[in-house]
Amino acid sequence: MSGLNKRFKSWPGWVLMLVVVVAFLAVGATRMAGPQTQSDRVDELTQRIACPVCAGESVFVSQNNASRALRNQVEDLVRQNELSDAEILNLIDSRNEGDLLLVPESTGLEALVWVLPALGFVIGVTGLAIAFRRWKIEAAGLGDPTGADRDLVEAALADEPESNS
């Protein structure tokens, strides 16, 4: 009976996890692949380029003259329709001194920016699961208190002087 009880208690969590995974897959599968118009493409690219003058702003948001010039360069390159988005970003980054890309590339050393946090999360959750399982096994091994344990506690409580604070 105990095993059946545990199964009934654990299935709602698994059902909830299944619903969440299916929802994420549905959203990911139906999501648009990229910008539909040239204007959308320019907006997407300028959101990934940092303002060379402003701290922490993208060219898309900044109203600085340097940002406007970069936005115009991106618009011209998109209108020419000869380069891919990655090639446009590399060209803008190479033309200008400094690191203008807000979103790191997903290859090489910069891929670690994407992988390390996820890897740290997985290792942390796995470590907690192992620790909780070990603690549960250790707690199950202790068993219920015996009559001797209860007698020992009662004796300790009887020997304790009463405090009248």
Side-chain angles (χ1 to χ4, degrees), residues 3 14 53 84:
W14 287 106
V53 179
S84 69

Side-chain angles (χ1 to χ4, degrees), residues 4-81:
L4 185 63
N5 192 18
K6 285 184 181 179
R7 286 186 189 153
F8 282 129
K9 286 182 179 178
S10 67
W11 75 267
W14 287 106
V15 170
L16 179 64
M17 190 180 311
L18 179 67
V19 168
V20 168
V21 167
V22 168
F24 280 135
L25 288 175
V27 169
T30 59
R31 202 171 137 200
M32 293 182 153
Q36 300 299 314
T37 65
Q38 285 188 345
S39 175
D40 291 340
R41 189 174 171 205
V42 169
D43 290 348
E44 184 178 302
L45 288 170
T46 55
Q47 288 174 359
R48 296 172 61 187
I49 301 171
C51 172
V53 179
C54 313
E57 285 188 2
S58 68
V59 169
F60 179 77
V61 174
S62 176
Q63 296 300 317
N64 189 297
N65 289 337
S67 292
R68 288 184 185 153
L70 281 173
R71 197 170 343 173
N72 291 336
Q73 285 179 14
V74 171
E75 286 178 19
D76 292 340
L77 292 169
V78 168
R79 272 195 216 107
Q80 293 171 7
N81 205 20

Side-chain angles (χ1 to χ4, degrees), residues 76-125:
D76 292 340
L77 292 169
V78 168
R79 272 195 216 107
Q80 293 171 7
N81 205 20
E82 296 175 2
L83 301 174
S84 69
D85 290 354
E87 291 171 333
I88 290 173
L89 290 172
N90 287 335
L91 182 65
I92 294 292
D93 195 39
S94 65
R95 281 185 185 173
N96 299 286
E97 296 175 15
D99 194 18
L100 291 182
L101 298 182
L102 289 175
V103 179
E105 295 179 16
S106 59
T107 59
L109 186 61
E110 292 177 351
L112 291 177
V113 171
W114 299 107
V115 173
L116 287 179
L119 185 64
F121 177 76
V122 169
I123 290 171
V125 168

